[in-house]
Structures are given as structure tokens and as C-alpha cells.
Amino acid sequence: MSRPHTRFQPRLSLLSAGILGLCAQQAALAEENAGHPSATTETALQTVVVTGARDSGRTVAKSLAPIDVISADDLARSGKQNLRDALAASVPSYTNAAGFTGGTGLSVKSATLRGLGGNHVLVLVNGKRRHNTSLIFVQTAATASGQSPADLDLIPVSAVDHVEVLRDGAAAQYGSDAIAGVINIILKNNHSGGSASALYGQYSDRVGGKGNFGARGQGQINQGFELPNDGFFSLSADIGIQESSNVAGAVPDRTSIYFRQNGQPDPRETSESRYRQQLGQPRSQTYNFGYNAELPLNDAYTLYSFSTVSHRNSTSWGTYRTANSPQNIVSVYPDGFSPRFVVEEDDFQSVFGVRNDDLLGWHWDLSTSYGYNNANTRNERSLNPSLGPDSPRDMDGGNLIASQWTNNLDLTRSFDTGLFAKPLNVSTGLEFRRDGFEIQAGEYASYADGGYVFPAGSPLAGQRPNPGAPGLVGFTPADAHNYSRTNTAGYIDFSQSLTEKWDMSLAGRFEHYSDFGDTGSGKLSTRYAFTPAFAVRGTVSNGFRAPSLQQQYYSSSLTAWRTSPITGLLEQATTRYVTVDDAAGQALGAKALKPERSMNYSLGFVATPTENLDITVDLYQIDIKDRILQTSNLQGTAVSNVLASHGLDPNQIVSYFGNLADTRTRGIDLVADYRYDLGRYGKTKWTLLSNQSLQTIEKIKEPAALAGTGVSAVGRDRQGNLTSAYPKNTTSLTAAWQLGDFDVTLKETRYSQVVGRNQISASRDEVIRPAFVTDLSLGYYLSDTVKLTVGGENIFGRRPQQLNDEAKRYYYFPTDNPTYSWYSPYGLEGAYYFAKVDVSW
């Protein structure tokens, strides 16, 4: 092919010009005497944290479990453009989810902690539970365990003071979802002053002239205001506008785009015209706003509140439908078409509370929180071929709505028992939560079967196209439902210093779910300091995670013009994602979902061999029983026979969620910081992060309904998503050097091999060999309050290997060079360069 890549042409958009102008204006208003930050010799292990230590403000070094603290400066220095990517750059076992997540999954990114997905990671903001997205990932990807995570991209980065990541099971302390750990985002509490930043960046190239290099303009601003009685009101806003990118190759020569005449290719099928497909970053606009406020009423009572509100519009493109596809009407799209999938979200969460420092000796905190996410899906520049040429081009596919109302009463007190030199710290509390999930049907044309038959004289005469909008069928009235459940919980947490060197804590939690009944969980943690410079710590805990409402009740259909995994030929296909109550799902073995149950073990040490060197090493094991997985796509002759024997349509592909495996995750996290003062040559900080992780499947629980059919519900693709879709080792070394007004940050990351397994054959696996990826940023303080940074991520443009010929032939849509694997842990799009201005006042 003659045009696989196109080099970029830098463009200064109106957005980037506007936000650069905003920062220039703020720079003019900045205080003259404000100083820029410099490298510090203060050890990060002495940072006081609140996560995992309800009783007192322990430091990182003295915490009984591994905690990472990432400051706002750390987030900025990472060079990443959102909170999710910045955390992945700063926490050893935090990685972004692998694999292609489909049109809706491109809008929301999931992440993993200690090898487990977003459903196993609890996100808190100022210690209060964050609501989850209404969207669910159900396509063939490493995220296909039905994740509906808290969406970190809808929290304004400008509002974040620091982030505390507890890398340990914490279900006994914080409840369901905290099996892998907790991410606690602490918001800014400035009474005055503020900051702003503006960024412009884009990828260095694209494929086939498609996409706009992923060009991104981003503006952020924060301002603090003083309230009476030393209160504060911190207001923040982030605006990001991102253009699309493209990594998809051409339609292969073996595939005819147009109807052939006398067996000959259409003359319009040139090497240039075969670049029809577009996959990559979506086109999106994201608007995030938030505040954090406290108002002391007197010396005893303090009112507080914080909120975020967001709007996001994301547009991605579906698989190209060739002109001769039965999903196309030639009179409507003579050259074929790629449907546009639009996801438009409105999201907010508000928290209100009051706390008091002394009620009969107790510190208490009473709060209520309500979170809401509404995602509307649309299929645009498309059609429903079953309605014929009169089909509408734009169709509303319906809405997914998730809500969460959480109420907490937390109490803390110290007791002098007389048994030990230090008091016993007791924390206890109650929680009531109501979760809601609703599916609203789309417009009739988005799912209808209009019964259109291609007329006589058409090369497709007599054939019927599949019903519904291609690629993203609207939700039907049968899909539409409104579900809810409640959860009532109580916890108690004891923490005691047994000696000057030995600390121990014990936590327990009882929960009652309206749909799953009662459950209990506990956690025992201990830490022993052999010397002030060396301590060991360990925990053992059990956990519980109820199936999400999305996993229980989500249903939809996907119509595709795809490559058959059986024959390798193009075909129409409809995949149905069904609930356990669906007749087809039950015929293929679906059963009511049960909660997942886990056991966590962790053992590690903290060492400060010198004043400038900090080292933490933590080993962990997480066993999950009855893990909820999405089945492989159940298809083929044996599946058709089972469906037909139950009087059901045999021509459907079915997938559902089930408690299909017991798994074990083992790993080791290493974090080392070394600071060195070079005197007149500046200061340096070296950071080494490494995670070694191994996931194994202890038991696969195949449905009895599939026995003897040769069909596996947990096929080799789903097994691979658990065991080989993530690097077993990720290691990075970061060097930060500051000299006067200049600073340089260089990061080198190595990813071990990754394999995306194919459902049918190992010869079609997607293998990504080990790789080194380099990030570099250069900063300069134009004044004490204005900093300019230029840099790049993956500056040498490393991309994963292309798929082999057989994998390309059986890829889910027709593709040719280049075809990169979406399982790449460092992305597919090569080098990304940016320029950024930061201002403070």
C-alpha cells in the first residue's frame, strides 16, 4: 500500500490559542513574590495519609499496608493528560486496561490494580465513595468481565491536591469493590490563590490519511476563595477537546469493496481508496467542573461539601461497511459507509456533610452523597438496512443511567486501656447505599426489523439485511428496565501500638444486600519496626463483591459486517449480550449470578537505608472464588443445535455473564526513591517502579448445558484475557533533574511480552514482544509563577508488532497493513508530543 502513514502538520486551533491567552492573562495578574517549587529532600515516606487509617493520620512509612501518594506536582510532571494515565505512570501495579473495548468502551477507559479490573478497585473522593459509570464493556477485550468502573476522566485534574492509592484488599474497611485496593482522591482546599494550565499536543503520524493525529487542546483552572471562620471554597474547571486519530489499515486486496462486474474488480478499488476504516482515539469534548468547600460554624461544628459536574461527547467510528455489504443500501451510500457511534454523557456527584470533634468524646462525621451518570448512545451517518432506502440516517439508540445514593456516619475515638503505652484507636460507622441502573429504549428505527428484501436486479436479490442500526443496535423495549438495590453496612476498626515497634489493627464489616443477603469480611494488619530504618508489614483479609447491576441486567445486540472466525469469509452476524433470564442464555447454561468472594494476603518491608533512599517491597496473593466473567462468543453448529432444540433462533451468537472461574493473582511491587543534591549542578530524584504479576486460573466452571458440545464458555480468548493480556512485568526508571529554572524528566519503561489469545486457534494470537518506551519532558520557569514545558511520550514512536497473516485474515473486520494489536500495553499510535504552560498566583 502506498500511504500507510502521514506525518503531522502542527495546527494551532482556536481552543489552544484561547487557553494560551487565558494563561497569559493570569500570568500578568500573578503575584511577583510567589516562588516556584524546587526539588525537596523531604522523604515521601513521611507524608501523612488518611486512606486505610481511619483512626489517625499515619505517615506512608508507618502505614500497615502499602500506600502510594501522588501529589499534584507529581501528576503534572508525569506528562500525562488525565488522572487515569498519570496514576498508571506513578503506581507500580496500576495499568490501563488492554484490548479493544468497542465504540462505547473508547469513551470510558478502565484500569487495573494488582492485575484486577476496575470492578475490583474502589474509588473515593475525600474519603467518600465515587459513583460508577453507567456504561459496561462487553466486547472482545481484556476488559470483558463486565466492568463499569468509576470514571476518573470526569474528575477535574485541576481540583486534585493529591491521590492516595492503597494497594491492598480493603473490603473490611470500605466495603464491596475494594478487593484490589482503594484510590482516594483528595481535593484542593486553598483559601486563596490558584493556578491554570494550557496544553496542546498530538501524535506524530496517522494511517491512511484518516483521523486528525489525536490533536488535543486542554485548559485547566483553579481558584480559592475565603469563607468565614477560616473556611474555604476551591473552584476548579477543566476543558478538553480531542480530535480523532487512526491506526487502522486498508481493506485488503482479497476483499471486494464494490460489486464485481464480470468477475473483475471495480476500477475505483485503488490502493488509496482502500483506506476506509478509522479506529483510534475518539473525537471528544469533555467539560469538568468541581468545587470543594468547608464552612466552620463554630469551634465544634463544620459544614462541608464537594461536587463535580461533567458533560462529555465522544464520537468513534464503526467497522467500514463495503458498498456490496448487505448492511448497506447502495442508493444511499454508493461507496459504503462507516457508522459513527456517539456517546453523550451527563455526570455529577454532590456530597454534603457535617462533622464534630467532640460528642461524648467521639469525633463524628455525617454525610450524604448522590452520584448520577446518564449516557445516551446514537448511531449517526448510518442507516437501518432492514428499513430499505427510506431508513433514517441518524438514530437515537437509547440511554444507560446509573445512580448511587450513599449515606455515612463515621465515628472515631481513642481509649486509654491501661494495657499499653499508647491508646487504642477505635473507628466505627454505618452506611446505607442505594444503587440504580436503568436502560431506556431507543427510537424504533434503531432496532426495528423492517423486513426489507433486496429487489430483483440487485446482486443481493432475495437477501434480507440484519435488523437494527449497524454496529450499535438501539436498546429495544424488551431491554428497557429500571433496577435498584440497597445495601446496609456497619464496620468497626481497632488499631493499637502494642509496643514502640509493633503496631496492629483489626477491622470487620457486616453488609446486608437486598438481593444477595448477608455477608461479613475482616482484615488483620501488623507492622514491626526492627530499627527506625527497617520495618516489615503484612495483612490478611477476605472480601466480597456483589455483581454490579450492569452485569446482572445489561442486554443489547451488535450487528456486524465481519470476518467469520470459522470460514474467514465476510458475513452478517448479530451478537446478543443477554441476561441470565434470557431464554437463549439459559439454554446455553446461564444461571443467576452469585457474589465473588476473595482472600488477600500481603507481606512486605519498608526500608530507609540512608536519608536520601526509600525502598518498599510488597508481595501479595489474591484468590477470588466464583469470579464473574463474560463468556466467549457462543457460536457454531453445536450452539445452533442447542438453541434449535429449545425452539429458539439458531442463527444468533450469544454471550452472557457467569461465575465461571476461580482465579489466583500473585505479584510483587517494588518502589524505590533516591534523592541526590549535586550542589551547584542542581538536584536529582531517581524513582524505580516495578511490578511482577502472575494470574492463574485455578478452576473453570463450564456450564452443564454445553457438556459434550465441544464449545467452551470460557474459551482460550477469555482465559488469555486473565493470564496473558497484561505484561507479567512492568518496570520503569524515572530521572528528574532540576537546575535553577530548568528541569528535565526522563522516564524509561520496559513492558514484558503480552499475548492476546484468539478464541479459535493459537496461530491467530496477537503477540506483542517486550518493549522499551521513553518519555521526556523539559521545563523552564519563565518567571516565579509561569512555567513552560515541552515534551513527548513514547518519543521514539514504538508501536507493537503487526498481526501475522493468519491473524489478519481472521480479524473481526477485513484489514491489511498496518494492523496493530489493541493488546499493546503502551498503545498503538506511536509518539505523542505536547507543549504546556502552567501559571500560579
Side-chain angles (χ1 to χ4, degrees):
M1 298 298 175
S2 62
R3 192 175 56 159
H5 295 85
T6 305
R7 304 301 296 181
F8 81 87
Q9 299 293 325
R11 302 187 306 173
L12 185 63
S13 66
L14 290 176
L15 169 75
S16 57
I19 53 182
L20 286 170
L22 168 66
C23 285
Q25 179 185 19
Q26 295 296 344
L29 298 175
E31 297 181 15
E32 291 293 331
N33 60 352
H36 62 258
S38 60
T40 178
T41 58
E42 180 184 357
T43 171
L45 292 182
Q46 300 309 311
T47 304
V48 177
V49 296
V50 296
T51 309
R54 294 177 182 268
D55 55 285
S56 62
R58 292 182 181 273
T59 64
V60 174
K62 293 185 177 181
S63 67
L64 277 62
I67 296 177
D68 300 294
V69 177
I70 302 96
S71 69
D73 288 339
D74 293 331
L75 296 174
R77 278 195 297 268
S78 72
K80 305 303 181 181
Q81 315 315 320
N82 55 58
L83 186 58
R84 170 179 39 83
D85 288 337
L87 289 175
S90 306
V91 179
S93 59
Y94 183 108
T95 57
N96 286 321
F100 181 63
T101 53
T104 57
L106 288 172
S107 303
V108 178
K109 300 295 186 181
S110 181
T112 69
L113 189 63
R114 288 193 161 180
L116 301 179
N119 282 345
H120 299 102
V121 180
L122 177 62
V123 176
L124 307 175
V125 178
N126 282 352
K128 307 300 181 183
R129 178 181 284 262
R130 178 75 177 180
H131 69 285
N132 290 0
T133 180
S134 59
L135 296 166
I136 182 171
F137 305 149
V138 292
Q139 294 196 30
T140 51
T143 54
S145 57
Q147 294 187 38
S148 298
D151 192 343
L152 297 179
D153 291 351
L154 297 183
I155 298 174
V157 178
S158 59
V160 177
D161 181 81
H162 66 278
V163 181
E164 299 173 1
V165 181
L166 172 63
R167 291 180 279 114
D168 195 25
Q173 295 166 296
Y174 296 101
S176 182
D177 304 341
I179 289 177
V182 177
I183 298 172
N184 191 7
I185 300 164
I186 309 300
L187 303 180
K188 292 178 179 177
N189 58 1
N190 47 318
H191 297 71
S192 62
S195 60
S197 68
L199 173 141
Y200 181 82
Q202 62 184 65
Y203 292 101
S204 63
D205 58 11
R206 60 183 178 178
V207 175
K210 295 284 187 180
N212 290 302
F213 300 102
R216 181 175 181 83
Q218 184 170 299
Q220 302 174 352
I221 190 167
N222 167 268
Q223 176 65 55
F225 301 92
E226 187 173 359
L227 295 181
N229 300 326
D230 200 32
F232 65 85
F233 183 85
S234 184
L235 183 64
S236 304
D238 292 1
I239 298 176
I241 297 181
Q242 176 179 278
E243 280 289 354
S244 62
S245 61
N246 187 50
V247 295
V251 177
D253 290 339
R254 67 176 182 273
T255 300
S256 177
I257 297 176
Y258 301 94
F259 292 108
R260 289 177 175 264
Q261 302 294 329
N262 300 320
Q264 298 300 312
D266 191 287
R268 290 172 289 179
E269 294 184 13
T270 66
S271 58
E272 290 288 317
S273 71
R274 286 185 172 273
Y275 286 97
R276 304 290 183 124
Q277 183 68 38
Q278 183 169 340
L279 284 177
Q281 297 294 326
R283 177 187 296 164
S284 67
Q285 302 87 40
T286 305
Y287 307 92
N288 293 331
F289 304 91
Y291 72 83
N292 185 29
E294 286 191 7
L295 178 62
L297 299 179
N298 50 42
D299 291 341
Y301 292 90
T302 298
L303 297 178
Y304 64 87
S305 177
F306 53 91
S307 298
T308 62
V309 59
S310 302
H311 178 81
R312 177 171 59 197
N313 182 297
S314 300
T315 301
S316 57
W317 282 259
T319 303
Y320 168 65
R321 271 67 177 172
T322 59
N324 58 11
S325 164
Q327 291 197 323
N328 180 46
I329 304 294
V330 176
S331 61
V332 179
Y333 296 112
D335 294 327
F337 70 103
S338 293
R340 294 200 326 182
F341 303 148
V342 179
V343 180
E344 189 159 4
E345 292 176 81
D346 290 303
D347 183 281
F348 73 86
Q349 181 162 358
S350 292
V351 178
F352 298 91
V354 59
R355 60 175 179 260
N356 176 276
D357 289 332
D358 188 6
L359 178 66
L360 302 177
W362 291 87
H363 170 90
W364 60 269
D365 184 332
L366 178 65
S367 66
T368 185
S369 169
Y370 185 77
Y372 175 89
N373 179 265
N374 185 336
N376 172 253
T377 62
R378 298 195 300 275
N379 201 310
E380 298 182 348
R381 298 184 184 178
S382 182
L383 82 168
N384 179 341
S386 75
L387 297 175
D390 295 329
S391 167
R393 309 301 186 259
D394 300 333
M395 290 159 283
D396 189 304
N399 290 60
L400 295 173
I401 301 173
S403 62
Q404 187 174 87
W405 181 40
T406 307
N407 302 276
N408 292 95
L409 173 63
D410 300 301
L411 302 102
T412 303
R413 184 178 178 180
S414 296
F415 292 90
D416 188 356
T417 64
L419 299 176
F420 306 98
K422 293 184 179 180
L424 170 69
N425 295 301
V426 179
S427 298
T428 187
L430 300 171
E431 178 178 289
F432 175 80
R433 188 173 77 248
R434 182 189 184 277
D435 296 310
F437 176 60
E438 181 179 0
I439 301 177
Q440 295 180 345
E443 65 177 284
Y444 176 75
S446 70
Y447 59 81
D449 185 350
Y452 179 76
V453 178
F454 287 102
S458 166
L460 298 173
Q463 294 188 37
R464 296 184 60 176
N466 282 355
L472 195 64
V473 176
F475 297 111
T476 70
D479 296 324
H481 290 287
N482 194 345
Y483 308 95
S484 67
R485 70 162 172 238
T486 60
N487 167 270
T488 304
Y491 74 90
I492 190 164
D493 190 337
F494 301 99
S495 180
Q496 177 69 63
S497 294
L498 303 178
T499 70
E500 286 295 323
K501 296 183 177 182
W502 189 11
D503 296 330
M504 182 171 290
S505 71
L506 178 66
R509 189 179 184 95
F510 173 82
E511 301 194 36
H512 173 77
Y513 283 81
S514 59
D515 50 356
F516 289 107
D518 301 335
T519 182
S521 55
K523 180 176 182 178
L524 174 67
S525 303
T526 189
R527 178 185 184 275
Y528 188 83
F530 289 93
T531 71
F534 182 82
V536 295
R537 60 192 180 191
T539 67
V540 57
S541 65
N542 68 315
F544 170 94
R545 195 191 78 82
S548 69
L549 292 176
Q550 288 94 323
Q551 287 176 324
Q552 289 180 275
Y553 300 117
Y554 178 86
S555 61
S556 69
S557 297
L558 183 151
T559 60
W561 176 234
R562 66 162 197 171
T563 304
S564 168
I566 309 298
T567 66
L569 302 176
L570 284 171
E571 65 176 10
Q572 290 190 93
T574 298
T575 302
R576 296 185 61 233
Y577 304 105
V578 302
T579 68
V580 296
D581 297 327
D582 183 87
Q586 291 183 341
L588 297 172
K591 294 182 179 180
L593 293 177
K594 298 183 294 185
E596 299 175 335
R597 299 186 181 273
S598 67
M599 284 295 301
N600 291 53
Y601 308 90
S602 178
L603 178 65
F605 70 82
V606 180
T608 53
T610 70
E611 181 182 358
N612 296 332
L613 177 62
D614 308 322
I615 303 172
T616 66
V617 175
D618 293 278
L619 295 84
Y620 57 89
Q621 176 175 302
I622 306 171
D623 294 327
I624 300 180
K625 182 178 177 60
D626 294 325
R627 188 161 175 180
I628 298 173
L629 303 176
Q630 183 184 358
T631 67
S632 300
N633 287 340
L634 304 178
Q635 58 190 313
T637 302
V639 170
S640 296
N641 291 339
V642 172
L643 293 172
S645 69
H646 287 77
L648 302 170
D649 178 11
N651 299 313
Q652 56 180 312
I653 303 167
V654 177
S655 183
Y656 60 84
F657 293 105
N659 299 96
L660 297 174
D662 296 342
T663 65
R664 169 169 291 176
T665 304
R666 285 176 169 169
I668 180 171
D669 288 336
L670 166 66
V671 181
D673 284 322
Y674 180 68
R675 299 163 300 282
Y676 191 71
D677 191 334
L678 300 173
R680 61 182 295 187
Y681 298 107
K683 299 177 180 180
T684 62
K685 179 181 179 181
W686 299 79
T687 302
L688 175 66
L689 304 176
S690 185
N691 170 254
Q692 182 78 25
S693 182
L694 176 66
Q695 287 220 43
T696 57
I697 301 175
E698 301 298 297
K699 182 179 182 180
I700 295 178
K701 303 178 178 181
E702 290 286 351
L706 296 177
T709 65
V711 176
S712 174
V714 188
R716 64 184 312 276
D717 56 336
R718 293 295 187 255
Q719 295 178 41
N721 286 345
L722 292 174
T723 60
S724 64
Y726 293 93
K728 290 181 172 58
N729 179 267
T730 302
T731 300
S732 68
L733 179 63
T734 302
W737 174 51
Q738 182 172 322
L739 176 62
D741 292 330
F742 289 92
D743 64 54
V744 179
T745 302
L746 176 66
K747 180 179 182 181
E748 190 74 15
T749 304
R750 182 190 183 274
Y751 300 93
S752 63
Q753 178 172 283
V754 166
V755 178
R757 293 187 183 178
N758 181 268
Q759 180 181 357
I760 305 298
S761 171
S763 60
R764 306 175 195 173
D765 286 350
E766 303 175 27
V767 180
I768 298 96
R769 294 192 292 270
F772 287 90
V773 173
T774 306
D775 300 338
L776 176 66
S777 66
L778 309 173
Y780 177 69
Y781 284 90
L782 301 174
S783 71
D784 286 341
T785 58
V786 182
K787 182 182 180 182
L788 173 66
T789 304
V790 295
E793 302 169 11
N794 190 5
I795 60 174
F796 297 115
R798 183 63 185 258
R799 293 176 184 259
Q801 291 71 42
Q802 293 193 47
L803 274 59
N804 64 43
D805 289 341
E806 184 174 355
K808 289 177 186 176
R809 178 174 181 81
Y810 287 92
Y811 205 55
Y812 65 93
F813 65 87
T815 185
D816 204 346
N817 296 339
T819 303
Y820 304 112
S821 172
W822 284 81
Y823 285 91
S824 168
Y826 50 87
L828 296 78
E829 308 194 73
Y832 180 89
Y833 300 104
F834 66 91
K836 184 181 181 184
V837 177
D838 292 286
V839 185
S840 61
W841 57 88

